[in-house]
Amino acid sequence: MKSMEQELQCPVCKDIVKQPIVLPCLHSVCLMCASEVLIQSGYPQPELPPEPNSPASTPNMRSPRQMRRPMPKSDRVDRLLRSGSGTYPGRRRKDGPPPLMLFPCAPCGRDVELGERGLAECMRNLALERIVERYRHTVSLGSVAVMCQFCKPPQALEATKGCADCRASFCNECFKLYHPWGTPRAQHEHVQPTLNFRPKVLTCPEHDQERLQYYCKSCQMLLCSLCKLRRVHAGHKIAPVTQAYQTLKDKITKELNYILSNQDMVLTQITQLESAVTQTEVNSVSAKEQLSHCVKEIMALLTERQTMLAQALEGSRQRRADALSSQVAEKRSLLEHAGLMAFTQELLKENDPSSFVHAARITHNRLAQSIESMQHFALSADPSFRHFQLDISRELKLLTDLNFIQAPFAPVIDTQRTLAYDQLFLCWRLPQDSTPAWHFSVEFRRRGVVPGGGARGGIRGGLAAARWGWQRLEEVTGTCAVIDRLEMDSVYVLRVRGCNKAGFGEYSEEVYLHTPPAPVLNFYLDSRWGLHADRLVVSKEQRCARSVPGLSLLQAADRALTSCHLTADLLVGDVAITQGRHYWACSVEPGSYLVKVGVGLESKLQEWFHLPQDMASPRFDPDSGHDSGAEDSSDSPPPFAFLTMGMGKIYLPSSVNSHHCNANYRESGFTNGNGPSSPTGVTYPLPPRLGVCLDFEKGRVTFYDAHSLRPLWEGPVDCSAPVCPAFCFIGGGALQLQELVANRNANQTPVRRVTIQSRVTKLN
């Protein structure tokens, strides 16, 4: 039991706790230590009760008259505590509330808010007091007797009983004297003799004498019957304290049994930790040796560089000294009785003209050079060594910043480029001040799924998935990754971290991606029928289309203004769907006038749009605004279904089938904006990408916000024959099909094909 002493220590005084109180962070400290900490922090000194072992608290120090008075009540400590720190005697009601008290909790490493009433908000930890008392009796006070507090010394006898109401220990005679039969004192509770008495039960710190009978699960705090009625706990989950006691006791019992039944695991982990401690010491010594070796290499390189630079400096000095010495010798030869002057004077004594001329030419040249040197005197070498100064500011900065290598910082996910389509495409970057990464580790998991079993909801399922469900892509060298073979219509959680010589860095923030509800259908735009080249332009890759009002619309301007007619151009996909569920996505330019996206029967589309026809303007269309052909027959499903987009808005028709989807879209945070709202439909801001899901067997088509996979509208469509994706342009506009993640780096020539795809359960 002695090994338990660490659990009973006060984090402030590092001794066994005395009169412990529970802080809001659930740590326990001595009442006196908490008071001293608050005083050191500048708060007023609280009024504290005397310690149980102090002379002032023992009855044998009182006068005989005081001994006849009733003993203090059992809640004296608590009432004094409530009137202590955090209250200001004499404070008037109109005065403002006292400032909040902050207690620096050592185990938490942060300041804990005590509230306006300070320590009065903290209740005593009676359970810990009982544990401490049993520990002291077992370890320290097993052979020390508790003396009677009412016997006169030196005839004091050993106490045999304790009274919880009188808060004192008695021998047999004194107990009979102070608890006579037939009096209320005879009903006091008898306990074992002790030097530390405490209240029988916890009472509310705000409502005196009110027992704490309830537990608020939302606030995680004990309540009395009056606190339960407060508005702050309205709607909270409140249970009787007995129920909370039994629940918490069962949980602790299970946890204790689990740990006790897995002692081998604990011993194994202790062995691993001890090995890690040993390895830490060994590795630290190795790191110190490596540090010393690196510093020695730097010093050796500096010494070598110093020698090389000193040699260069000495060579330059020697050359300059030689040049200046030669110049000095030349100048000295020009003195009157030395060198060239003496020779010239002797040469002038020659009287033979031919001999003089023959010998004087070289002397003449030397004298001319000397005169030129005298008139334009300059040093033959620069005596200064200015260009031999070293600029070591950059090197000093490098040495100042010399530090151990750091692991990469947490990467930043590029949400603009990250998407979920046929595969998951994750893109990221490192912060500017981060150290480089050798490679990255990408981790992902399906949300709410435990490997080896089905989905598990709630917090427990999320924790289990977070613990066991992570899958990894190791050693990704770039700043993007592609993840395939994923489940359809599932939410995946992704994160990434970098690695270098220092090891792995911190994880990025988790990003959630929703996979499409059906297999992704890859197709291209078929421009071979129903296309006006002067108004509709398809890109070379046949994945983008732009409608530009051309000359034909200009020529029909009179008819367009008088009859309110516009020209519609249709594009279809080069696939025909005959079975299964399929999903595709596209994006519409926000500045487009009107663009319709949907599906339709291939035969009907060829029949109605094979030749360019005029289409009534939607501003004067008497139907519901949804071009589904529902007016033709009330029983059979429409041959095609479109959603209309234009001018930064999307129009969602109102119907029984679309009510739920529209409600979901409203809950997602979108507002109606400035668009009209009527029983026939409603407008919303245009999403960045629009997704279309066709269920051929059910004859249903659903439109999604492809960015969040929220459904926008759902309706029927005739699937009695092959169905094609279709796009209709009215006026200027642009549209682009979502490119497959798998084909981002592949250059493929589009080929006309008819797809017959079977049901699959995974994205390819």
Side-chain angles (χ1 to χ4, degrees):
M1 193 173 182
K2 194 169 185 179
S3 60
M4 189 181 64
E5 183 172 345
Q6 185 178 0
E7 300 292 333
L8 308 179
Q9 289 182 352
C10 172
V12 178
C13 63
K14 304 301 181 183
D15 198 359
I16 297 180
V17 290
K18 299 178 181 179
Q19 292 181 292
I21 58 174
V22 182
L23 299 175
C25 60
L26 303 183
H27 290 119
S28 298
V29 295
C30 301
L31 176 61
M32 188 63 65
C33 295
S35 174
E36 293 177 355
V37 169
L38 290 178
I39 293 175
Q40 294 175 0
S41 300
Y43 295 105
Q45 182 175 4
E47 180 184 356
L48 300 178
E51 294 187 9
N53 295 335
S54 62
S57 64
T58 56
N60 55 9
M61 298 299 295
R62 305 174 188 147
S63 63
R65 180 174 297 180
Q66 289 177 332
M67 293 176 60
R68 298 178 180 270
R69 293 179 180 178
M71 300 297 295
K73 295 183 179 180
S74 60
D75 58 343
R76 176 172 176 265
V77 174
D78 297 278
R79 285 191 287 104
L80 288 175
L81 182 60
R82 286 194 290 270
S83 64
S85 177
T87 59
Y88 297 85
R91 180 167 61 90
R92 291 174 295 181
R93 185 181 301 273
K94 66 178 181 179
D95 295 341
L100 297 178
M101 288 191 175
L102 298 178
F103 184 86
C105 180
C108 295
R110 61 182 178 87
D111 292 339
V112 178
E113 182 178 326
L114 297 181
E116 298 179 358
R117 302 173 64 242
L119 295 180
E121 302 281 350
C122 305
M123 291 183 290
R124 293 178 62 180
N125 195 340
L126 299 182
L128 181 58
E129 288 189 29
R130 297 187 182 97
I131 295 174
V132 169
E133 182 177 355
R134 290 196 297 268
Y135 173 79
R136 288 183 179 276
H137 180 77
T138 303
V139 178
S140 303
L141 303 179
S143 58
V144 178
V146 178
M147 306 307 295
C148 177
Q149 296 174 288
F150 290 86
C151 292
K152 296 181 180 180
Q155 290 84 14
L157 302 177
E158 182 178 349
T160 58
K161 295 181 180 180
C163 180
D165 297 281
C166 299
R167 299 171 60 86
S169 297
F170 302 84
C171 63
N172 289 331
E173 296 298 329
C174 293
F175 186 82
K176 294 177 182 179
L177 177 64
Y178 284 92
H179 298 80
W181 290 99
T183 62
R185 292 188 180 183
Q187 306 299 325
H188 287 184
E189 180 181 0
H190 303 171
V191 295
Q192 293 294 327
T194 180
L195 298 176
N196 184 14
F197 290 91
R198 62 189 65 84
K200 297 180 181 179
V201 293
L202 285 175
T203 57
C204 180
E206 297 186 20
H207 305 100
D208 196 11
Q209 299 298 326
E210 288 292 333
R211 299 183 61 177
L212 299 172
Q213 300 177 352
Y214 301 96
Y215 178 74
C216 179
K217 297 180 180 179
S218 303
C219 301
Q220 296 185 354
M221 61 182 301
L222 295 169
L223 304 176
C224 68
S225 56
L226 299 179
C227 293
K228 178 186 175 183
L229 303 177
R230 287 188 171 182
R231 184 180 301 176
V232 68
H233 298 290
H236 289 187
K237 295 182 179 179
I238 300 178
V241 69
T242 54
Q243 179 181 347
Y245 158 79
Q246 190 61 41
T247 302
L248 188 58
K249 189 173 184 179
D250 292 342
K251 289 182 179 180
I252 293 178
T253 302
K254 290 181 180 179
E255 294 166 350
L256 178 63
N257 293 335
Y258 176 82
I259 295 176
L260 293 179
S261 61
N262 291 273
Q263 291 296 296
D264 294 340
M265 182 187 302
V266 176
L267 294 176
T268 302
Q269 294 176 357
I270 291 176
T271 303
Q272 294 178 357
L273 291 174
E274 291 176 348
S275 176
V277 171
T278 305
Q279 195 66 24
T280 300
E281 298 296 331
V282 175
N283 292 339
S284 64
V285 173
S286 177
K288 290 179 181 179
E289 294 178 354
Q290 184 180 7
L291 172 63
S292 177
H293 177 70
C294 292
V295 173
K296 288 180 179 179
E297 285 187 350
I298 295 175
M299 295 178 64
L301 181 60
L302 288 175
T303 303
E304 181 182 355
R305 194 66 180 171
Q306 179 185 8
T307 303
M308 185 184 68
L309 294 177
Q311 291 176 356
L313 180 62
E314 180 61 24
S316 177
R317 183 202 65 79
Q318 186 64 38
R319 290 191 296 273
R320 295 185 186 192
D322 293 344
L324 291 175
S325 298
S326 176
Q327 190 176 15
V328 169
E330 182 181 352
K331 294 298 181 181
R332 286 180 177 176
S333 66
L334 299 180
L335 295 176
E336 182 178 2
H337 301 290
L340 181 59
M341 294 297 99
F343 177 77
T344 303
Q345 292 174 4
E346 292 298 329
L347 180 60
L348 292 175
K349 295 177 181 180
E350 180 64 43
N351 295 325
D352 185 12
S354 58
S355 299
F356 180 80
V357 172
H358 179 70
R361 286 179 300 177
I362 187 173
T363 303
H364 170 67
N365 294 336
R366 293 179 63 189
L367 290 175
Q369 292 177 357
S370 299
I371 293 173
E372 179 70 19
S373 175
M374 292 175 60
Q375 293 176 351
H376 302 87
F377 176 74
L379 297 177
S380 59
D382 186 8
S384 67
F385 283 78
R386 289 188 297 270
H387 61 286
F388 279 91
Q389 300 295 324
L390 292 177
D391 182 11
I392 59 173
S393 58
R394 183 181 62 179
E395 287 74 10
L396 288 177
K397 186 178 184 306
L398 291 175
L399 290 176
T400 303
D401 298 338
L402 184 64
N403 202 346
F404 299 105
I405 57 176
Q406 302 291 329
F409 291 167
V412 180
I413 303 296
D414 188 352
T415 56
Q416 299 297 326
R417 300 176 58 190
T418 298
L419 59 91
Y421 199 47
D422 58 315
Q423 300 171 343
L424 291 186
F425 182 73
L426 182 64
C427 224
W428 64 87
R429 59 177 175 84
L430 283 175
Q432 294 183 354
D433 53 349
S434 173
T435 56
W438 292 355
H439 56 81
F440 296 90
S441 174
V442 178
E443 299 184 2
F444 62 97
R445 66 175 175 87
R446 186 181 175 189
R447 187 177 182 184
V449 172
V450 181
R456 180 180 296 179
I459 299 177
R460 187 180 302 275
L463 293 177
R467 178 177 298 178
W468 305 108
W470 290 107
Q471 304 180 51
R472 293 179 179 83
L473 294 179
E474 301 290 354
E475 298 186 1
V476 179
T477 55
T479 57
C480 58
V482 176
I483 305 172
D484 56 1
R485 297 189 296 275
L486 302 175
E487 297 290 335
M488 294 183 303
D489 199 14
S490 302
V491 177
Y492 281 86
V493 188
L494 300 96
R495 63 186 183 183
V496 61
R497 59 176 177 171
C499 179
N500 58 13
K501 191 175 182 179
F504 284 99
E506 297 179 355
Y507 284 104
S508 65
E509 293 186 359
E510 295 181 351
V511 61
Y512 295 80
L513 295 180
H514 197 154
T515 56
V520 173
L521 178 66
N522 184 32
F523 62 90
Y524 298 87
L525 298 175
D526 191 349
S527 60
R528 294 184 296 175
W529 54 285
L531 173 64
H532 277 273
D534 60 338
R535 295 197 306 265
L536 201 59
V537 180
V538 180
S539 65
K540 182 179 179 181
E541 297 81 9
Q542 295 185 222
R543 302 193 69 86
C544 304
R546 179 173 292 275
S547 175
V548 181
L551 183 61
S552 60
L553 185 60
L554 181 62
Q555 292 174 349
D558 294 336
R559 186 166 60 88
L561 292 175
T562 56
S563 62
C564 296
H565 278 67
L566 292 176
T567 301
D569 294 304
L570 180 73
L571 275 177
V572 299
D574 62 347
V575 299
I577 303 171
T578 60
Q579 65 178 13
R581 297 178 69 242
H582 307 279
Y583 175 86
W584 62 92
C586 64
S587 58
V588 177
E589 188 176 276
S592 303
Y593 181 64
L594 285 180
V595 178
K596 294 177 178 291
V597 178
V599 296
L601 288 176
E602 186 176 18
S603 58
K604 292 293 184 180
L605 293 174
Q606 289 177 352
E607 176 184 349
W608 293 345
F609 292 95
H610 183 64
L611 295 177
Q613 301 178 9
D614 291 336
M615 179 178 179
S617 171
R619 293 173 295 176
F620 295 90
D621 193 358
D623 65 359
S624 65
H626 176 229
D627 298 317
S628 61
E631 291 82 0
D632 299 339
S633 175
S634 58
D635 298 333
S636 61
F640 56 86
F642 288 96
L643 278 190
T644 304
M645 288 157 284
M647 296 169 285
K649 300 288 184 179
I650 182 171
Y651 181 75
L652 303 180
S654 177
S655 66
V656 177
N657 296 327
S658 64
H659 176 75
H660 178 69
C661 299
N662 292 343
N664 291 340
Y665 200 62
R666 285 193 294 268
E667 291 175 358
S668 65
F670 293 99
T671 59
N672 193 15
N674 298 325
S677 178
S678 66
T680 59
V682 65
T683 59
Y684 289 101
L686 180 66
R689 292 184 295 128
L690 181 70
V692 183
C693 181
L694 174 66
D695 191 331
F696 190 87
E697 279 73 16
K698 293 183 179 180
R700 307 290 296 182
V701 60
T702 308
F703 295 87
Y704 293 88
D705 178 354
H707 182 71
S708 60
L709 262 292
R710 291 189 178 95
L712 303 180
W713 189 91
E714 181 182 355
V717 65
D718 188 2
C719 294
S720 59
V723 179
C724 292
F727 312 93
C728 183
F729 292 88
I730 303 176
L735 176 140
Q736 181 175 3
L737 296 179
Q738 178 67 51
E739 184 180 6
L740 293 180
V741 175
N743 294 345
R744 281 177 175 253
N745 299 324
N747 296 324
Q748 299 180 356
T749 304
V751 180
R752 172 65 179 176
R753 62 195 182 282
V754 176
T755 61
I756 302 177
Q757 299 189 8
S758 60
R759 296 177 182 270
V760 294
T761 58
K762 294 186 178 181
L763 295 176
N764 297 322

